[in-house]
Amino acid sequence: MGKILVTGGLGFIGSHTVVELQNKGFDVIIIDDLSNSSMDVLGGISSITGIAPTYEKLDLKDKPKVQTFFKTHQDIQGVIHFAASKAVGESVEKPLLYYENNINTLVYILQELQKLKPANFIFSSSCTVYGQADELPITENAPIKNAESPYGNTKQIGEEIIKDTCKVTPHLNAIALRYFNPVGAHKSTKIGELPIGVPQNLVPFITQTAIGIREQLSVFGDDYPTSDGTCIRDYIHVVDLAKAHVVALQRLLNKSTYSNYETFNIGTGTGSSVLEVIKSFEKVSGQKLNYKIADRREGDIVSAYADTTKANTKLGWKATLTLDDAMRSAWKWEQHIRKNN
C-alpha cells in the first residue's frame, strides 16, 4: 500500500484514523507539533496495530520546513490534513491565531501538492460551514452561510482554497469531509480524546467532571427552541469517523470519482441534545453528573445533524456505533488514563 501523510496525526481524530489506515495496510507518516497532543499517543497507536508509524515533529506554519519535508518525501501518495486549531469559543477570542494556524498551513501543503503527481488530499472540514441551516437534516447542497465563528470561517475559507486549487491543478484530487461532532474513544482504551488544559468539547468535560477533575459541567443555555431547550448536535463515534477517511482515501486512490473536488457529510443522521448526551453518559457509566445551566455561549448554533445519503451511497460508508457506545468508550478511556497517570 502507499505512503500516507497524516498531519495532526497524534490528535484525537488523527490518531484513530492512523490506526484504521494501518489496519488496512497503509504506510503512515505523521506530522504533529504536539500543541494539543502528546507523544504517548504514538505508543498507543503502535500498541493497537503492532506497527510504529513514522513520526516527525514539525510546525506546519514554518513554510521552509514544510518545503523540506515534501522534498524528502516525494513518494507520498495521499495527505489527510487534520492539523488545525478547533475550538469555537477560543476562535471567537483569538481570531488571528485561528486564521494563521488553519489557513497558512493549508496553503503551504497545497503548494507542495501542486508539485507532486498524482496528488490526493483529504481535508478535515466541519458541519460549521453550514452555520444555522434552514432545513434539517443538512445535505451537502445546503447553502454555506456566514460563519458563526472564526473557526467555522477557517473551514469555509479552507474549502474555497482547495476548490480553487483543484480547478487549476488537474492532477490534484481532493475530498472535504464535513463532519459533525466526533466523540468516544478506541475500544482498546489506548487512544482517545485528551485535550490539554480545560476541555473545549462537551464529552471530555463530561468525563472529567464524572471522575472529579472538573467540579461541575456547564450546559450553555436551556432556552433554545428544541425539545428540552438545549442545543442539538450529531454525535459520531470517532472510530466510525476514522473509517470514513479510509474509504474516502481509497476513492481517491482508485480514481473512482468524476470530479477532482468533492464534499461529504460524515455523521450519524441523528441529532441529540446536550441533556440527552448527559443522560446517555449517566446510563452507561452509572455516574450521576454534577451539571448546571449557564448562559448561552457566543458562536453556538441551535441545531445541526447530517443527511448522510451521499456518503452512504458514493463512499459506501455508514456509521455503525451508537451514542451509548461512544459514551461508554469515552468513560472507559477517561478511567484508563487517570489510573495510568
Side-chain angles (χ1 to χ4, degrees):
M1 303 290 274
K3 184 185 280 188
I4 307 301
L5 169 63
V6 180
T7 74
L10 297 183
F12 175 41
I13 307 168
S15 60
H16 287 81
T17 301
V18 170
V19 165
E20 297 304 324
L21 287 166
Q22 289 188 326
N23 285 343
K24 290 291 186 182
F26 287 100
D27 181 13
V28 178
I29 181 165
I30 293 170
I31 283 177
D32 202 296
D33 67 358
L34 301 179
S35 60
N36 195 31
S37 56
S38 158
M39 279 299 291
D40 293 342
V41 178
L42 197 61
I45 293 168
S46 305
S47 178
I48 293 167
T49 64
I51 305 162
T54 305
Y55 166 70
E56 193 158 326
K57 185 178 180 184
L58 196 156
D59 183 349
L60 292 167
K61 296 192 296 297
D62 189 330
K63 186 175 181 177
K65 286 188 177 172
V66 174
Q67 292 171 326
T68 301
F69 175 87
F70 276 92
K71 277 179 192 157
T72 311
H73 299 277
Q74 294 192 5
D75 55 344
I76 285 171
Q77 290 195 310
V79 176
I80 304 180
H81 182 46
F82 292 107
S85 303
K86 61 173 188 171
V88 169
E90 183 185 53
S91 78
V92 173
E93 295 164 12
K94 301 175 181 177
L96 291 180
L97 183 150
Y98 273 68
Y99 288 118
E100 180 187 29
N101 200 37
N102 294 7
I103 302 301
N104 291 9
T105 56
L106 172 64
V107 169
Y108 299 158
I109 290 170
L110 290 175
Q111 285 172 335
E112 297 309 304
L113 287 181
Q114 284 190 312
K115 303 169 193 172
L116 281 182
K117 286 188 179 180
N120 298 295
F121 184 74
I122 294 175
F123 181 55
S124 169
S125 192
S126 166
C127 64
T128 56
V129 300
Y130 299 116
Q132 180 57 67
D134 296 325
E135 294 181 18
L136 295 168
I138 302 168
T139 73
E140 288 84 355
N141 296 323
I144 304 296
K145 295 189 169 184
N146 287 340
E148 300 279 336
S149 68
Y151 164 73
N153 202 23
T154 65
K155 294 303 182 184
Q156 290 182 356
I157 295 166
E159 286 195 12
E160 289 168 6
I161 289 169
I162 298 163
K163 191 174 182 180
D164 289 342
T165 307
C166 285
K167 278 179 188 171
V168 297
T169 317
H171 71 268
L172 173 61
N173 299 294
I175 288 176
L177 297 181
R178 295 170 175 167
Y179 25 92
F180 284 65
N181 291 60
V183 290
H186 195 269
K187 64 183 178 182
S188 67
T189 70
K190 295 182 187 296
I191 55 173
E193 188 169 11
L194 186 58
I196 293 172
V198 179
Q200 300 287 334
N201 295 332
L202 175 63
V203 173
F205 213 111
I206 285 176
T207 57
Q208 288 190 16
T209 303
I211 213 157
I213 295 170
R214 308 289 158 200
E215 187 180 338
Q216 192 173 50
L217 169 73
S218 291
V219 175
F220 297 109
D222 66 346
D223 57 350
Y224 286 98
T226 62
S227 59
D228 59 22
T230 62
C231 291
I232 290 174
R233 298 288 183 271
D234 187 336
Y235 294 92
I236 177 169
H237 198 298
V238 66
V239 172
D240 277 334
L241 177 56
K243 289 177 177 176
H245 289 81
V246 178
V247 295
L249 178 66
Q250 289 168 330
R251 180 174 175 84
L252 292 175
L253 293 174
N254 296 335
K255 299 291 179 282
S256 54
T257 172
Y258 298 101
S259 162
N260 71 334
Y261 176 72
E262 293 183 299
T263 59
F264 292 94
N265 285 340
I266 304 296
T268 65
T270 302
S272 301
S273 73
V274 175
L275 290 181
E276 285 172 335
V277 174
I278 290 171
K279 286 173 188 167
S280 170
F281 175 80
E282 290 181 334
K283 180 176 76 176
V284 301
S285 69
Q287 303 289 312
K288 192 71 183 158
L289 205 63
N290 179 26
Y291 69 90
K292 66 172 183 180
I293 305 300
D295 292 338
R296 290 187 181 193
R297 184 172 55 179
E298 190 177 354
D300 277 342
I301 59 170
V302 179
S303 185
Y305 53 96
D307 182 321
T308 60
T309 305
K310 187 178 177 185
N312 301 157
T313 54
K314 292 197 173 183
L315 294 179
W317 170 91
K318 190 172 176 55
T320 60
L321 298 164
T322 65
L323 179 61
D324 285 355
D325 292 332
M327 301 310 289
R328 189 179 293 109
S329 64
W331 179 232
K332 285 180 178 174
W333 159 249
E334 186 72 56
Q335 292 173 301
H336 169 79
I337 52 175
R338 299 310 158 193
K339 190 170 69 178
N340 291 280
N341 282 344

